[in-house]
Amino acid sequence: MMDQRWRPTVNEREFIEQALQSDLRVDGRRPFDFRKLTISFGREDGSAEVLLGETCVMGYVTAQLVPPYKDRPNEGTLAIFTEFSPMADPAFEPGRPGEAAIELGRVIDRGLRESRAVDMESLCVVAGKHVWSVRVDLHILDNGGNLIDAANIAALAALSTFRRPECTVGGDDGQQVTVHDPEVMDPLPLTIHHLPIAVTFAYFGDGNIMVIDPTYKEEAVMGGRMTATINSNGDVCAIQKAGGEGVMSSVIMQCLRIASVKAADITSKIKTKVDKYTTDKALQKVKRTPALVAKEVDVPDVTMKESTHTALENQTSKAPNDGQQISEGIHTPKEFH
């Protein structure tokens, strides 16, 4: 698919391969360096945009109540959908998804579901009746190479900030579900155990030269590609290698060690961005909530002016003298005898 967009000439292909043999890349990176990663969030929960170099992917998460699968009555569902727009790449055609779109969705779906990153049992409302179905839509806005890693980060960032509506179960039979408005009851976040990070390697030559995060030019020249999905603990969640040149097992083990380090770095970046988003969202909610401040009410019988208050103080200070005058004017009964 990439060859339809940019076909390298013989000289361009040789230039890229010779530069890689000298540990140099066209954009100036080292072989195992990622491009600049930028994560931003939208106004609504569950919306994230990831910019990895020139590659831009937007992820959006929604949820709805559906009947569960019969073989898993107490588990929710998670589905990944991808959209390749011609705006992102002239090689992308509108209509039915192509092989690249299907492969992208399957790789990300396998890394999330097979590793049990999202707790599916927490999405159950009434066993066998109602569960939450979580849908992740990934929109490719610009294809600058390595769509898998960028889309995977976008999906994780969107899932980390998503909040599903709170619901309660009641009724006569105890199975009537009431979904509450976010203004009435705070929505609940998803239970995410870990973040499976996809790290893509591109192989050149006989498979002895490999780089991380290939650009679209490197993808047009590479002889093969492998994606390793791994979390910050070093647990391998999935490995995807679709065709291309064969790779020795020792090279794959080296790739897994490198991917473990990169996954820990990307995980920390995602968590930092998500924590900042959550904090900012909480502060905005506090500002929107009116504070309960006591207001001064002008009541004539209660509120006293300063002059009245001063006059009362003067009368109080004169009160002992008046008392003395009254006591002087009153005669005891002995004086009358």
Side-chain angles (χ1 to χ4, degrees), residues 256-325:
L256 293 179
R257 288 192 294 268
I258 297 172
S260 178
V261 177
K262 298 298 180 181
D265 183 29
I266 296 176
T267 300
S268 64
K269 291 182 180 179
I270 295 176
K271 289 185 177 180
T272 301
K273 291 291 185 178
V274 171
D275 292 343
K276 185 178 183 302
Y277 169 82
T278 305
T279 304
D280 295 342
K281 200 79 173 179
L283 291 176
Q284 292 178 2
K285 186 176 181 180
V286 171
K287 291 181 180 179
R288 289 197 302 265
T289 304
L292 298 177
V293 181
K295 297 182 180 180
E296 183 179 355
V297 181
D298 293 333
V299 181
D301 297 335
V302 177
T303 305
M304 297 180 294
K305 296 183 179 180
E306 184 179 0
S307 58
T308 308
H309 185 64
T310 306
L312 288 175
E313 288 183 348
N314 295 335
Q315 292 180 5
T316 305
S317 60
K318 294 180 180 179
N321 297 332
D322 296 341
Q324 292 177 0
Q325 294 177 0

Side-chain angles (χ1 to χ4, degrees), residues 105-137:
R106 286 181 177 177
V107 172
I108 298 175
D109 182 76
R110 186 183 302 115
L112 284 171
R113 286 202 300 174
E114 297 298 330
S115 64
R116 293 284 183 174
V118 180
D119 189 358
M120 294 300 178
E121 293 185 358
S122 65
L123 300 177
C124 178
V125 180
V126 179
K129 293 289 185 179
H130 303 285
V131 297
W132 286 104
S133 175
V134 180
R135 174 185 173 123
V136 182
D137 290 286

Side-chain angles (χ1 to χ4, degrees), residues 20 25 200-204 207 209-215 218-219 222-226:
L20 290 172
R25 302 175 74 172
T200 299
F201 296 85
Y203 299 100
F204 299 88
I209 300 176
M210 57 183 178
V211 299
I212 279 180
D213 186 24
T215 62
E218 293 173 341
E219 287 182 343
M222 67 183 182
R225 179 180 61 191
M226 185 187 77

